[in-house]
Amino acid sequence: MCGIVGYTGPRDASEVLLSSLRRLEYRGYDSAGIAVIGEHLAIHKDKGELAVIEHSLPSMHGGIGIGHTRWATCGRPSQENAHPFTDCSGTIALVHNGIIENYAALKKGLLDRGHIFSSETDTEVIVHLVEERNSGDLREALVSALSDIKGTYAIVLAMEGSEKIVAARKENPLVIGVGVGENFVASDVTALLEYTSKVLYLMDGEVAEISPSKVTIFDASGQTVRRVPEMVTWTAEDAKKGGFAHFMLKEIFEQPEAIRNTLIGNVDRLEQDEGVLGEDVPAIKLVACGTSYHAGLVGKYVLEKLGKIPTTVELASEFRYSSDVREDPLVIVISQSGETADALAATREARRRGLHTLAITNVVGSTMTREAEETMYTRAGPEIGVAATKTYISQLVALYLTAMRIGHRRRTIDADTLRNMRTELTSLPQVVRRVLDNSESVMEACGMIAQSRDAFYLGRNISYPVMLEGALKLKEISYIHAEGYAAGELKHGPLALIGPDTPVVAACMRDHTYDKMIANLSEVKARDAPVIAIANEGDEEIEQVADKVIHIPEVQPLFSPFPLSVATQLIAYHVANLKGCSIDKPRNLAKSVTVE
Ligand code: F6R
């Protein structure tokens, strides 16, 4: 779950590495480092964010280099444990993302053979193994070292006296940026966009030799692979803050466009019958983690309502423990990054069980797109803030389209309903825009939450999973303990915790759940808890039970998760901002969770 970069060419490598790493900090930010080869190999690394090493950067001249931004998995964040690592001779440098499972045994052997280690990490064994196997060809040395390694990796190596950098991947992403007279490698394309849009994705088991004028890719058996570079349509501007205080706020405001792009990319397949969604399956299982799991919970309501198809939702990390007895031959794995280790493991498990797999992801070329039988792209553009916002809303769109497509094929919705739903989806960008226009007034409701240690989020029916997601968003960026609850469950336990210090955020949509929500809020008010109601425009009755009301546009009940989600995202953002939290990089979290 770290970010790695490499460069070889005529530019000052340290500048390229630092600028590329800036785009990868979302992958980890507890330490950072770079290695540059000029006359000799020089390394600069430290604990803390990238800015720490930038401020103390010594003069490091040279056109070849590798860099790393870390999210600690093995060994605490410290200067010693920061990457890059070197061998005993100090001539080979290595950065790694992943986990070496058998590192303890390997380290013992290396120590017995006289190697000296400087860190507590699993990674350091790789560079020492490479040193032992090196007889001048860095790629061969790496391939030989990898044959002893059990685990997962994306690795980039550089060696004094060589203009080539060498890269290898297994279950962790790596993409090569192809330039003119220079080449790059990085954990994802956002790190490369400033320099090139031409990329080559490295596949599992492949090793690449990258020099300024040439990229050669070798497969697991050592044969060269011919691969044509692909053009990336994201621009460097897409990956910058564009005038917003935080990436998260920018991404919240990009949601109208994200919805539109997901629609444009997928809507024309609504009436098509081919592929995994064309199969006549008796049930569906949605599998995901975190926010993507919450998107799945919303998706279940929609799939069952429109497709009349039994749908279960499972946490990806739990899927492997479930018994292989249920009839759900289509597994839809939802993952914005397409790299989440638990989601990838679930995809593999589903295939092992002989089930059809469809990936819903935002990242073209991500590992999941190769693991799953089919992929549906959300096309929300790069998301840099650790908290998922626009990718989540795009996942909802993808799931609604999936439900409509299945409903059409199973004839559980007629042509008029399909048309009507399509119109409703097409109007969502404007609906969301109206919620965003109200952002300042959302802020007014946030003071009472910002002062609290705990908060409750309540909803019924399809609003319930939306409130689970609202609570997760608040937790992760404001560090306030928040619990999402089905409002009907309140009196079955959590009511014991409700009081003047526990604000309650409640979804009160004007549908068949409205009266019951009002009754629940009366119970909450009777315990003096502050109530923030998210209600439809024009609803005045709600004022009687709420201390603050956030009004959102009224849409067909099935589509209310869209404006409602955006309101809860704004609440989380403003609360975290009032508290001065590190919004884009919340503590202990990383954007792409590539460990199980
Ligand atoms: C929360 C968040 C995480 C991710 C989760 C799954 O804001 O971003 O909960 O949703 O780690 O990530 P993906 O969707 O990349 O599999």
Side-chain angles (χ1 to χ4, degrees), residues 289-292 334-338 340 343 386-388 395 469 472-473 476 591 593:
C289 311
T291 292
S292 300
I334 313 162
S335 171
Q336 78 78 20
S337 62
T340 302
V386 164
Q395 289 169 345
E469 170 58 11
L472 175 66
K473 225 57 329 156
E476 62 183 327
K591 183 79 186 156
V593 187

Side-chain angles (χ1 to χ4, degrees), residues 342-397:
D342 286 318
L344 288 173
T347 314
R348 288 178 198 129
E349 174 62 16
R351 296 208 74 170
R352 195 190 63 75
R353 293 182 189 181
L355 309 174
H356 288 301
T357 50
L358 170 69
I360 295 183
T361 186
N362 192 45
V363 181
V364 178
S366 57
T367 306
M368 186 168 290
T369 64
R370 290 189 290 277
E371 299 278 348
E373 216 174 317
E374 248 179 59
T375 300
M376 183 173 186
Y377 287 110
T378 47
R379 300 172 203 277
E383 188 174 71
I384 309 296
V386 164
T389 53
K390 66 173 178 173
T391 54
Y392 161 77
I393 214 107
S394 286
Q395 289 169 345
L396 293 186
V397 176

Side-chain angles (χ1 to χ4, degrees), residues 37-49:
I37 299 177
E39 212 172 309
H40 295 291
L41 171 69
I43 290 195
H44 180 58
K45 61 182 188 177
D46 211 342
K47 179 182 166 183
E49 297 192 1

Side-chain angles (χ1 to χ4, degrees), residues 158-223:
M159 183 169 70
E160 213 173 274
S162 168
E163 61 171 11
K164 282 180 195 158
I165 50 177
V166 175
R169 82 157 267 177
K170 185 176 170 215
E171 294 176 32
N172 279 273
L174 265 188
V175 55
I176 298 166
V178 181
V180 179
E182 59 181 353
N183 285 307
F184 310 78
V185 60
S187 299
D188 81 36
V189 290
T190 55
L192 306 173
L193 293 173
E194 204 173 322
Y195 303 101
T196 181
S197 312
K198 213 167 162 186
V199 300
L200 285 162
Y201 293 99
L202 211 60
M203 307 291 167
D204 268 353
E206 290 180 344
V207 177
E209 240 174 29
I210 306 163
S211 67
S213 55
K214 196 168 170 206
V215 176
T216 316
I217 298 177
F218 300 85
D219 67 14
S221 61
Q223 301 297 309

